[in-house]
Amino acid sequence: MAKYPELADKVALITGAGRHKGLGEAMAKRLAEEGCKVVITDIGSAQGQLMPEDAIGTTKEMQQIVEEIKSAGGEASSYICNVMSPEEVKGAAQFAVDTYGSLDIWVNNAGIGYLMKPILDMDVSEWDAVMNVNLRGAFLGVKYAAEMMVEQGKGGRIINIGSQASKSAFPHASAYTTSKHGMNGLTRTAALELGPHHITVNQICPNHVTTGLGAWQNAHFSGVTGKGHEKYMEDMKARIPLGRPGMQEDIAKACAFLCSDEASYITGESMNVSGGEEYH
Ligand SMILES: NC(=O)c1ccc[n+]([C@@H]2O[C@H](COP(=O)([O-])OP(=O)(O)OC[C@H]3O[C@@H](n4cnc5c(N)ncnc54)[C@H](O)[C@@H]3O)[C@@H](O)[C@H]2O)c1
């Protein structure tokens, strides 16, 4: 049931939203429930060994998510967009306007969280891939979404999906942590520059959610720490004040709130959604 009637018929585009169990899928479905027309974008197919098929959202999965939204009574379309490509990001913004007549909400959600190695073992190509998708991709999203929103002249909402790693450092995650720390600067600068156009720019910083990417991290770090899966998950729960890891819907709720009128005076903010695990 819609909680924010003002979101009815707004047009929302979400990058990296073509993977089941993902934060992008959850935000897309929640915004569709609120009455938004949703453009689901994702890379669509594997791009070499740095972006293998089992780590990305395929075109088929993206189309399934669109069908699921439509079956639930919502409106959605899909568009293949590799966020490393300025042309494709710009094309995605144009697709939203061509398809639904507007672009009101843009969520930079695409991310790589699976190339995790100590700095001493990390290839430069792996560093580049993470930075290019997570930070450069978000910059392109902010740039082309803002360009379209400024031209429309009716404001807008841009949301960056950061991480607990936007605020704290984690071993084996130099590129990931650096890219997400960079998102703080991108969010704040964009908020300053776009405020006069009535475009708010905020970041959501989740802790752990067992998405496809999250499941990869659980398996990887259970092994790296030598704890095994059960102990690794137990320890994770134990350090979260609210006693559980994040759920996809926790992030979707924060996203809907930041898109709503309730958040109209909030910009440049990096909001932890972490059950109290992250507090600065
Ligand atoms: N799951 C977590 O615990 C967690 C915690 C904090 C932040 N995040 C962030 O949430 C976001 C979504 O991750 P998720 O956990 O839902 O995982 P996910 O794997 O479901 O989503 C990531 C998506 O990014 C897409 N992607 C990768 N490279 C791309 C590219 N070049 N162009 C377009 N899309 C591309 C993938 O295809 C995938 O669909 C990421 O930015 C991630 O860093 C996740």
Side-chain angles (χ1 to χ4, degrees):
M1 206 176 60
K3 184 174 168 62
Y4 304 112
E6 66 273 23
L7 292 182
D9 293 327
K10 296 274 187 212
V11 180
L13 184 148
I14 304 169
T15 67
R19 203 170 180 208
H20 280 120
K21 297 192 185 151
L23 304 185
E25 178 196 24
M27 291 185 284
K29 288 186 170 171
R30 175 61 197 267
L31 291 179
E33 276 170 33
E34 294 292 340
C36 292
K37 294 167 179 163
V38 178
V39 180
I40 309 267
T41 76
D42 212 310
I43 194 167
S45 59
Q47 310 284 316
Q49 61 182 24
L50 293 174
M51 291 168 207
E53 177 129 349
D54 62 357
I56 55 111
T58 60
T59 305
K60 192 173 161 212
E61 216 170 343
M62 181 160 61
Q63 284 162 351
Q64 280 168 356
I65 292 170
V66 165
E67 288 314 313
E68 286 159 15
I69 290 175
K70 287 185 169 172
S71 306
E75 177 53 42
S77 300
S78 65
Y79 185 86
I80 294 174
C81 170
N82 180 344
V83 298
M84 292 186 297
S85 158
E87 292 75 25
E88 290 183 26
V89 176
K90 195 172 181 173
Q94 190 62 54
F95 174 82
V97 173
D98 292 346
T99 308
Y100 295 124
S102 184
L103 177 65
D104 305 301
I105 294 163
W106 181 288
V107 184
N108 284 310
N109 170 71
I112 291 184
Y114 52 84
L115 293 171
M116 300 248 163
K117 290 181 184 171
I119 291 172
L120 293 177
D121 298 337
M122 184 119 176
D123 279 352
V124 176
S125 62
E126 293 168 326
W127 168 276
D128 287 345
V130 175
M131 295 300 287
N132 281 339
V133 174
N134 294 11
L135 190 53
R136 184 175 179 273
F139 161 71
L140 293 176
V142 169
K143 177 175 171 59
Y144 292 117
E147 214 172 79
M148 190 62 83
M149 289 170 182
V150 168
E151 193 184 316
Q152 292 176 158
K154 54 185 177 129
R157 301 289 163 98
I158 297 176
I159 295 175
N160 294 324
I161 303 304
S163 166
Q164 195 176 1
S166 302
K167 313 275 186 83
S168 293
F170 295 89
H172 293 227
S174 57
Y176 188 78
T177 299
T178 305
S179 68
K180 297 295 187 181
H181 270 60
M183 219 165 227
N184 297 325
L186 177 64
T187 303
R188 290 171 188 156
T189 312
L192 282 177
E193 294 184 7
L194 299 175
H197 298 282
H198 305 289
I199 298 167
T200 67
V201 187
N202 291 294
Q203 177 182 206
I204 297 173
C205 300
N207 64 335
H208 181 80
V209 184
T210 302
T211 58
L213 180 158
W216 183 94
Q217 290 178 351
N218 291 343
H220 180 72
F221 288 111
S222 305
V224 165
T225 55
K227 288 181 176 181
H229 187 260
E230 208 172 310
K231 172 82 173 116
Y232 177 76
M233 295 307 289
E234 251 174 45
D235 286 357
M236 183 190 292
K237 269 204 258 174
R239 61 174 187 263
I240 301 171
L242 289 180
R244 65 165 175 83
M247 303 286 287
Q248 286 81 344
E249 53 263 37
D250 295 319
I251 313 309
K253 284 178 193 168
C255 175
F257 165 71
L258 287 172
C259 292
S260 77
D261 284 354
E262 302 291 300
S264 58
Y265 197 57
I266 299 176
T267 194
E269 193 59 60
S270 291
M271 184 166 98
N272 298 317
V273 181
S274 73
E277 188 179 5
E278 192 67 49
Y279 49 80
H280 72 287

